[in-house]
Amino acid sequence: MTERVLVVGELLTDRLSGSTVEAIGAGARLAGGASSVVGFLAGATARSRAPEFGRYGVTEVAILEDPACEGAPVAALVTAVVAAATELGTETILLAGTSFGRDLAGRLAARWGATAATGVTEITRVGSTLELRRPVFGGRATETRRIEGGRAVLALRPHAFPSATEAPCETRLRPIVAPAVPELLRAAHRTGLEASPGGAGPGLAEAAVVVSGGRGLRAPENFRLVEELAAALGAAVGASRAVTDAGWRPSSLQVGQTGKAVSPQLYIAVGISGAIQHLVGMMSSRVIVAINSDASAPIFKVADYGVVGDLFQILPALTNEVRRVRGQ
Ligand SMILES: Cc1cc2nc3c(=O)[nH]c(=O)nc-3n(C[C@H](O)[C@H](O)[C@H](O)COP(=O)(O)OP(=O)(O)OC[C@H]3O[C@@H](n4cnc5c(N)ncnc54)[C@H](O)[C@@H]3O)c2cc1C
């Protein structure tokens, strides 16, 4: 029997998140085609949004049309996803590498009797054995782990897997019957969702390009230099803890040990020294560019490209050049 992989969908407004599309791509490679991937969506819009999976060749979507799942805590989805996986007879659930996916992974694994892993960057199957790799110790080592048979719930690291290619097809809906969301979880539902200031760009954790600024910017008003470069590149804005502790920008932008972990295709660190607590949050970025006036700053040890110089001269020139090249 063909292996089927369940991919739990995460919606950003009315579209599947980029990380979900990457999970579909990973599932298709694992199971030998997108038609062996089954999508999952829950909430009042599950039926109308299911065709989003069909854009990537997924022919079947398990749905739970329970409005109580809308804005409910992640825990409210667990029983429904388990019901879908059990009904499909799948052994593997893939999740987006977002805080939603990481949160759901552990809960699902505990309920479903599965092995869980987060931050996964490679998956291969040999017979009934799943072999996966993922960075550990803040990116300073890569772990290889084998799951010999049995169920697996894997949350993938953003940008580690290529997105599924578009191959539009019809989707078949499979309504799931699941126990009602417990009263306790209904009581804790989300009542509002406002974008954070400066949050118009891509989300930090998912962004393909991140421009982060540090104390080298000297004053909060100078941080706009970072924001302007990010806007020109269509990048997300990040910050070191020195910046967020000083209140120049909100802590939601902090990258590092006590902030967000990011792994974009391109990370540009501006006026950031490269303390280990910052590095652990961005070291696994594909290409790292550092701009710093101190040639001995530790950030240059992890940078692929370094510019030693004054950010107040470099950033405006770089932003202008990006705008010119991109016709902005
Ligand atoms: C428990 C704990 C958790 C922590 N968690 C985090 C975390 O999650 N994230 C985090 O970032 N930090 C974290 N920190 C703090 C971390 O140790 C550093 O203090 C912090 O990262 C430093 O921020 P910075 O690089 O912006 O500032 P600095 O270390 O002061 O570096 C500023 C840099 O700007 C450069 N610079 C100055 N002027 C210019 C100029 N004109 N042009 C170009 N470059 C210039 C300087 O050469 C310097 O390298 C944590 C610390 C602790 C103890």
Side-chain angles (χ1 to χ4, degrees), residues 68 71-73 181-191:
V181 174
E183 214 39 61
L184 191 68
L185 297 177
R186 282 173 189 263
H189 65 280
R190 180 195 284 149
T191 57

Side-chain angles (χ1 to χ4, degrees), residues 215 240-241 254-258 271 273 277-278 292 310-311:
R215 192 169 9 223
S240 72
R241 181 160 158 181
Q254 187 183 314
V255 171
Q257 182 186 320
T258 43
S273 58
Q277 296 90 353
H278 186 82
N292 197 303
D310 182 1
L311 67 89

Side-chain angles (χ1 to χ4, degrees), residues 219-268:
E221 59 273 19
N222 296 332
F223 206 82
R224 68 171 173 79
L225 294 172
V226 167
E227 288 157 348
E228 284 167 3
L229 177 59
L233 288 166
V237 174
S240 72
R241 181 160 158 181
V243 165
T244 57
D245 274 359
W248 296 0
R249 288 301 181 269
S251 57
S252 57
L253 298 191
Q254 187 183 314
V255 171
Q257 182 186 320
T258 43
K260 292 205 169 78
V262 299
S263 53
Q265 309 283 353
L266 174 63
Y267 187 88
I268 304 179

Side-chain angles (χ1 to χ4, degrees), residues 89-105:
T90 180
E91 297 278 275
T92 313
I93 300 177
L94 297 186
L95 304 166
T98 55
S99 52
F100 163 82
R102 290 194 302 274
D103 190 357
L104 191 54

Side-chain angles (χ1 to χ4, degrees), residues 22-312:
E22 290 168 12
I24 296 171
R29 269 181 297 283
L30 191 63
S35 58
S36 298
V37 171
V38 179
F40 175 91
L41 283 175
T45 58
R47 179 178 291 268
S48 60
R49 298 291 174 239
E52 278 294 302
F53 274 100
R55 291 177 58 197
Y56 304 97
V58 176
T59 51
E60 187 172 5
V61 182
I63 56 164
L64 178 70
E65 286 182 284
D66 183 352
C69 292
E70 214 73 51
V74 165
L77 294 182
V78 173
T79 50
V81 180
V82 167
T86 308
E87 193 177 315
L88 291 162
T90 180
E91 297 278 275
T92 313
I93 300 177
L94 297 186
L95 304 166
T98 55
S99 52
F100 163 82
R102 290 194 302 274
D103 190 357
L104 191 54
R107 295 169 187 275
L108 272 178
R111 179 65 69 92
W112 195 39
T115 300
T118 57
V120 175
T121 53
E122 287 175 50
I123 316 170
T124 43
R125 180 182 286 289
V126 183
S128 62
T129 301
L130 261 192
E131 188 170 287
L132 53 97
R133 284 165 65 77
R134 60 189 201 123
V136 290
F137 304 124
R140 276 171 285 181
T142 302
E143 173 189 75
T144 303
R145 189 184 281 234
R146 284 211 176 115
I147 304 173
E148 314 271 0
R151 297 165 168 175
V153 180
L154 310 176
L156 312 181
R157 194 169 181 97
H159 309 300
F161 294 86
S163 299
T165 42
E166 293 212 17
C169 68
E170 292 283 318
T171 44
R172 201 168 52 252
L173 299 182
R174 183 191 277 253
I176 293 299
V177 180
V181 174
E183 214 39 61
L184 191 68
L185 297 177
R186 282 173 189 263
H189 65 280
R190 180 195 284 149
T191 57
L193 186 66
E194 292 96 39
S196 351
L204 188 53
E206 278 212 324
V209 182
V210 174
V211 185
S212 278
R215 192 169 9 223
L217 283 136
R218 289 190 205 143
E221 59 273 19
N222 296 332
F223 206 82
R224 68 171 173 79
L225 294 172
V226 167
E227 288 157 348
E228 284 167 3
L229 177 59
L233 288 166
V237 174
S240 72
R241 181 160 158 181
V243 165
T244 57
D245 274 359
W248 296 0
R249 288 301 181 269
S251 57
S252 57
L253 298 191
Q254 187 183 314
V255 171
Q257 182 186 320
T258 43
K260 292 205 169 78
V262 299
S263 53
Q265 309 283 353
L266 174 63
Y267 187 88
I268 304 179
V270 182
I272 291 177
S273 58
I276 186 63
Q277 296 90 353
H278 186 82
L279 298 186
V280 295
M282 44 63 76
M283 233 156 54
S284 60
S285 305
R286 191 150 292 169
V287 175
I288 297 171
V289 175
I291 301 172
N292 197 303
S293 52
D294 176 6
S296 63
I299 190 77
F300 288 122
K301 294 207 175 93
V302 299
D304 299 284
Y305 300 95
V307 185
V308 179
D310 182 1
L311 67 89
F312 293 99

